[in-house]
Amino acid sequence: MTQPTFNLGLEPLTIEQVIELAQGRARAVLDPDPKLRARVRAAAGHFNDKLGRGETIYGVSTGFGDSCENKVPPELAVEMPHNLVRFHGCGTGRYFGELESAAIVAVRVAALARGFSGAREVLLERLCELLNQRILPQIPEEGSVGASGDLTPLSYVAATVIGEREVYFRGQVMPAEKALAEAGLAPLRLAPKESLAMMNGTSAMTALGCLAFTRAKRLARLAGTLSAMASDVLKGEPAHFDARIFELKPHPGQALVAQWMREHLEYHPSHGRQATRIQDRYSVRCAPHIVGVLMDALPAIRKILEVEVNSANDNPLVDPENGDFLHGGNFYGGHVAFAMDGLKTAVANVADLLDRQLALLCSPTTNNGLPANLVARPGPDRVAHHGFKAMQITCSALTAESLKLTMPASVFSRSTECHNQDKVSMGTIAARDALRVLELVETVSAIHLLALCQAVDLRGVKECRPRTVEMHRAIRAFVPMNDADRRQDVDIQAVLQRYRADQLPIGEQGEP
């Protein structure tokens, strides 16, 4: 099957296209449109012309940041772009994986291809080639304050271009110079503004944000299905999800979650009340209102991220038409920080919701006739078995950790770099937090799903709705019922693996 090709520079990229590029399911090329190519050449030419006239250009004929008062003579200016890459080689912590690295490269080249950063065609084409051949920088997770953009993480992208540091290539980690040679490419010598153009922007946090957005959207759909299953196996009241209720408080995402639950439970107003208890507890009755917050936040988050993906966000920028140099702060990641701080809070609330539903399932006081801890052992030795008791403890631990991480990163701005960067966004930390919260909440969901399937076994498939039975059947194809105490960590991982591979019937997503 032929891969789609995305032309970068004129047409905006969507989050979904960023993900396709990151996954290697699409190719990136610099748009061949003559107007775009002329803009790129003009912007690069203005930097060369101004430097040739001996004029002052920040980061080209001056030092960087607070060192901008240092005048750099022309014979030394040619060393500056490589020096910038090298002294920012101080990232720490774990490394982003290939998916995150590819997303970062994709978002960075999309920004530079707008043609306002002074990057030459050869550099833009090289970045596309790195992405397409999957020569991906190995980038440490830590070290960015989110203004001046993601300097340290993006220095690893620039280092790959010049053949330095390490990369992922053909299933291995190897020196960048070796990977380039194996791919038939030579390291590039950077022009004076080009390392600053690659490094001084919001592309690491934005790329991580795109990945988080996609995962959060799928998680919301999963949470809707799990909440409907919880209502089903607890013999709850499906009338709580009557469309008329949500027409009177018409948040679109909330209404969509309620629709998912109605469809799952096959509810119709003519059915009348179906439960013995007139109102279910909040973690079931209010599930659309809780998951709906996440669904209703996603359109605003999408707008923020797609503006960032398709923006010129380094400094200085140049007006290609008249050569004016524009010194500003487009590298500031405040919007991404705000979006990711909000996203991780909405996602963590989903964990809290599912954790409470699991508590209802495990307690004979609230589970409407199911055995305590969902113990399924039939014989006299059942008193020596404990079912899902420890699974609930693990779920509570994961939920607590996800809630702890909701502290907004943006409020921890620190003045740094000789007080030049005296107010910073912490956007990359917020994005990393969001991905960590998603990882935790996906695991909470896997535990809850296993418990729900155990409840189906105990209740009997004939007592459950068809969509509940469909999910139960999908899980039981690879995880057996827990009829005696055993390790369940392997079960959790098996569910996570299939969920992340899109192999579970969670239902159609839709848009709010």
Side-chain angles (χ1 to χ4, degrees):
M1 183 177 178
T2 304
Q3 287 184 326
T5 296
F6 299 146
N7 292 337
L8 307 183
L10 292 178
E11 295 299 320
L13 276 183
T14 65
I15 290 174
E16 288 74 18
Q17 289 173 323
V18 169
I19 301 304
E20 285 190 74
L21 289 169
Q23 293 174 337
R25 294 188 288 110
R27 292 178 57 81
V29 299
L30 181 63
D31 199 311
D33 185 277
K35 291 182 180 179
L36 185 276
R37 296 291 181 134
R39 181 197 299 169
V40 169
R41 287 192 294 269
H46 288 309
F47 277 98
N48 290 333
D49 292 344
K50 193 165 186 175
L51 185 62
R53 294 193 298 268
E55 298 182 37
T56 300
I57 308 172
Y58 167 74
V60 176
S61 57
T62 75
F64 300 106
D66 188 63
S67 302
C68 64
E69 295 181 3
N70 296 346
K71 303 301 180 184
V72 179
E75 64 272 16
L76 297 180
V78 295
E79 302 298 327
M80 289 276 286
H82 289 239
N83 289 348
L84 178 65
V85 175
R86 289 166 182 152
F87 80 76
H88 271 286
C90 53
T92 63
R94 297 181 301 176
Y95 293 102
F96 291 120
E98 291 188 48
L99 180 67
E100 292 86 357
S101 178
I104 290 168
V105 175
V107 173
R108 194 69 207 135
V109 68
L112 298 180
R114 303 296 293 172
F116 300 97
S117 301
R120 295 169 297 161
E121 291 170 273
V122 65
L123 174 57
L124 300 175
E125 289 168 343
R126 173 56 56 85
L127 288 170
C128 289
E129 190 68 19
L130 295 178
L131 187 60
N132 295 336
Q133 294 209 41
R134 310 294 289 180
I135 304 173
L136 303 171
Q138 195 179 42
I139 304 172
E141 291 187 357
E142 301 165 356
S144 176
V145 296
S148 297
D150 290 309
L151 288 167
T152 291
L154 292 177
S155 78
Y156 290 78
V157 178
T160 300
V161 171
I162 65 175
E164 297 185 5
R165 301 183 200 164
E166 293 75 40
V167 298
Y168 301 107
F169 186 52
R170 297 174 179 170
Q172 300 180 53
V173 175
M174 65 177 68
E177 188 173 21
K178 179 182 177 184
L180 291 174
E182 289 188 11
L185 302 172
L188 283 184
R189 183 76 193 173
L190 299 177
K193 166 67 188 338
E194 288 181 331
S195 63
L196 189 59
M198 278 190 280
M199 295 166 52
N200 186 211
T202 61
S203 296
M205 67 181 80
T206 303
L208 301 179
C210 289
L211 295 170
F213 175 94
T214 304
R215 288 173 68 173
K217 186 178 176 184
R218 283 196 73 233
L219 180 69
R221 186 61 184 93
L222 176 62
T225 293
L226 298 183
S227 296
M229 290 179 69
S231 176
D232 194 7
V233 299
L234 290 168
K235 293 189 175 296
E237 177 52 73
H240 294 323
F241 316 115
D242 193 303
R244 291 169 292 183
I245 297 170
F246 299 90
E247 289 168 0
L248 298 174
K249 189 178 181 182
H251 294 297
Q254 175 179 282
L256 181 58
V257 178
Q259 177 187 322
W260 294 337
M261 295 185 69
R262 279 196 307 277
E263 292 171 349
H264 185 114
L265 297 168
E266 299 183 331
Y267 167 76
H268 190 275
S270 64
H271 295 165
R273 284 189 55 244
Q274 299 178 41
T276 56
R277 181 183 170 100
I278 191 170
Q279 290 191 156
D280 292 331
R281 291 168 175 83
Y282 285 16
S283 62
V284 176
R285 188 190 347 156
C286 298
H289 305 78
I290 297 163
V291 181
V293 174
L294 173 56
M295 286 300 295
D296 281 308
L298 290 176
I301 293 170
R302 173 188 289 278
K303 183 176 180 180
I304 287 172
L305 292 174
E306 290 184 347
V307 166
E308 290 286 336
V309 167
N310 297 292
S311 67
N313 50 68
D314 56 300
N315 174 63
L317 299 168
V318 62
D319 184 335
E321 292 189 7
N322 60 26
D324 286 346
F325 281 68
L326 309 172
H327 293 83
N330 278 7
F331 50 70
Y332 195 84
H335 283 80
V336 178
F338 182 80
M340 292 297 101
D341 280 340
L343 181 70
K344 69 188 186 186
T345 298
V347 170
N349 269 288
V350 171
D352 200 25
L353 171 75
L354 302 182
D355 180 57
R356 295 300 82 212
Q357 291 175 3
L358 179 59
L360 297 181
L361 284 172
C362 288
S363 172
T365 303
T366 56
N367 66 18
N368 207 352
L370 294 170
N373 299 306
L374 304 176
V375 173
R377 191 75 176 168
D381 65 342
R382 72 184 316 274
V383 295
H385 293 265
H386 295 81
F388 275 69
K389 183 183 287 288
M391 289 280 268
Q392 188 189 354
I393 295 170
T394 295
C395 191
S396 293
L398 298 173
T399 298
E401 185 173 348
S402 68
L403 294 169
K404 178 180 72 68
L405 289 171
T406 60
M407 175 68 74
S410 64
V411 301
F412 289 94
S413 173
R414 306 288 298 165
S415 180
T416 188
E417 199 258 300
C418 300
H419 296 296
N420 177 54
Q421 298 179 26
D422 58 349
K423 177 70 175 85
V424 294
S425 75
M426 300 300 183
T428 312
I429 295 174
R432 287 173 43 225
D433 281 350
L435 287 171
R436 175 58 178 157
V437 170
L438 280 158
E439 181 181 28
L440 290 164
V441 182
E442 287 169 357
T443 308
V444 166
S445 301
I447 293 171
H448 189 31
L449 180 51
L450 287 164
L452 288 165
C453 289
Q454 182 86 349
V456 173
D457 292 318
L458 293 165
R459 191 72 80 188
V461 294
K462 292 183 179 179
E463 297 295 316
C464 300
R465 268 74 167 196
R467 292 194 182 183
T468 298
V469 174
E470 179 188 18
M471 180 65 87
H472 173 268
R473 187 181 302 115
I475 296 298
R476 287 292 172 256
F478 60 93
V479 176
M481 181 179 72
N482 183 339
D483 60 1
D485 284 350
R486 66 164 195 261
R487 66 181 297 186
Q488 295 191 74
D489 53 353
V490 291
D491 300 344
I492 297 167
Q493 289 305 314
V495 172
L496 278 172
Q497 180 181 0
R498 284 162 177 79
Y499 166 70
R500 289 169 178 163
D502 199 19
Q503 294 174 352
L504 296 179
I506 68 172
E508 297 295 324
Q509 287 189 219
E511 298 285 345

